[in-house]
Amino acid sequence: MRTGMAARIPGGPDGRRMLRINFVDKTGSGLWLSVTALYFLVVAHLSAGQIGLLMGLAGAVGIAGSPVAGRLADRFPLTRLLLAVQLLRAASGLLLLVADGFWQLLPLVALGSLGERSASVLTKLYAARVAGPDRSRYQAVQRTVVNVGYTLGGLGASVGLAFGSATVYRGLLLADSLSFCVVAVLVARCAEPPSATRTVASSAAGPPAEAPAARPAPSSNPWRDRGYLGYAATDALLFLDGSVLRVGMPLWIISATTAPHGLAALLFVINTVVVVLFQVRLSRHGRTPRLAANTLWRVAACYFLGGAAVAASVVDARWAATTAMLVAAVAFTFVEMYQATVSWELSVALAPDDAQGAYVGVHGLAQSAERAAGPLIMTTAVIAAGPLGWLSLGTALAGTAFLQKHMVLRRLGSTQKATEATVPSGLSEPPITVSEN
């Protein structure tokens, strides 16, 4: 049974090992993310204003992690970069235990944020390379594992919160830091996957060695590719489902509806359960770039339904308000699953082979931008505008999904025409990225 289940996971032994890496990583992160602000309040004795400034500045530094890691991934082995990043995260966490005061904490929290965003891009690139054409299914399995890890970490943190002492908070931070050490050990055991810019060469004299591929240095520049930048910009908007579920809906339940306040906590449970149940099944919508693009109409429909449901939740009847919010929670969770599948496939497929890391790194800015601006959009624009704000949000994001679909299909069409014009019919030769001497 175990062998059969393992066989259905793309990427072979290294693909399964990377799933274990993600599980350990996110379980540790779940322990820390739930108590981050409380740690700075209780242990570091910072004020609420200092905590907000600290996390905001650290998040701004972290944004640079995506493009920098992506660019480096085109030049150096992924496994070595990922190992270095995980050790950086472990070091920053351990040093936090002995840091005191805002100015000592700031560089360490910023390094942790930089490492977290870098690790996210490098892990995505590794998975895309090791899983190959089955990357959409692998992404779905990975997201399921990530959600389970976050859930277990969150449950562990909730037990710690019941005590609420400085010692417990330090223990949770220590556990998170040590989880990165475990991850580093697991990463060291992973083989380097093949890429279009590097060659994995093996010989009888020793283990596989990493060497530059026999081709020109990467020349494609994502910052000059207006089509890809436009795709990444629209994706930044479509990732707003995260802020909707984390910030917008909980605040709306408490401030604007007659639904029970406990429903705000239940939303996270619903989100996790639905993702675990359906994410792998929905991976079929990302099997090819064109199929992924055509799936964007589902993203549009779910965004509109979710926005309309939240807008309707202002009714006086408690059961009706609760039902509307539950419908919205499910709709936005399906947005999350469809968007994750589509974005994973297109961010890789739309990138040229000679600069895949750099392009995926730039795309990583979309999620970073959503994390930075999303909560502000929710509180100052959407919630402040009332039901009309939610209806406008759903409509605008549905329109964004259709716009992105048009942009992507046009880019795919132009790419296909360029390929047909340069490659003789029936005479295509795929690039060799794995050689044996």
Side-chain angles (χ1 to χ4, degrees), residues 146-201:
V146 164
N147 273 274
V148 173
Y150 271 133
T151 301
L152 291 179
L155 289 174
S158 65
V159 174
L161 286 171
F163 297 94
S165 67
T167 301
V168 170
Y169 293 142
R170 287 192 177 96
L172 292 173
L173 174 55
L174 176 62
D176 180 38
S177 303
L178 292 179
S179 73
F180 300 137
C181 296
V182 175
V183 166
V185 173
L186 293 174
V187 169
R189 298 178 59 196
C190 290
E192 180 67 21
S195 75
T197 55
R198 300 188 67 80
T199 302
V200 179

Side-chain angles (χ1 to χ4, degrees), residues 18 21 25 77-89 115 118-123 126 183-184 187 190:
M18 189 55 67
I21 288 171
D25 186 333
L78 266 178
T79 49
R80 296 178 191 174
L81 289 172
L82 192 53
L83 176 62
V85 165
Q86 297 297 356
L87 291 176
L88 174 67
R89 298 172 75 189
S118 298
S120 177
V121 168
L122 295 174
T123 302
Y126 188 96
V183 166
V187 169
C190 290

Side-chain angles (χ1 to χ4, degrees), residues 32 36 40 46 49-66 92 96 102-118 368 371-372:
W32 171 238
T36 303
F40 295 136
L46 299 183
Q50 287 178 313
I51 293 172
L53 182 61
L54 174 69
M55 298 180 71
L57 291 175
V61 173
I63 290 176
S66 297
S92 66
L96 274 177
F102 180 88
W103 295 109
Q104 288 186 21
L105 291 168
L106 178 59
L108 297 175
V109 179
L111 281 176
S113 178
L114 185 73
E116 189 271 334
R117 298 310 305 158
S118 298
S368 298
R371 290 188 179 188

Side-chain angles (χ1 to χ4, degrees), residues 252-342:
W252 183 258
I253 289 172
I254 294 173
S255 63
T257 76
T258 57
H261 290 184
L263 183 62
L266 183 61
L267 294 181
F268 295 99
V269 178
I270 293 172
N271 175 262
T272 300
V273 170
V274 173
V275 169
V276 170
L277 289 177
F278 293 102
Q279 183 70 77
V280 175
R281 301 181 189 182
L282 296 182
S283 66
R284 66 182 185 275
H285 294 289
R287 283 197 302 263
T288 67
R290 191 167 294 276
L291 182 59
N294 287 324
T295 301
L296 283 165
W297 76 264
R298 299 175 185 268
V299 175
C302 289
Y303 255 131
F304 182 79
L305 174 62
V310 177
S313 67
V314 294
V315 294
D316 291 333
R318 196 177 195 187
W319 68 268
T322 302
T323 301
M325 293 305 298
L326 289 174
V327 170
V330 173
F332 284 122
T333 299
F334 269 87
V335 167
E336 175 187 342
M337 293 187 293
Y338 282 129
Q339 172 62 8
T341 298
V342 170

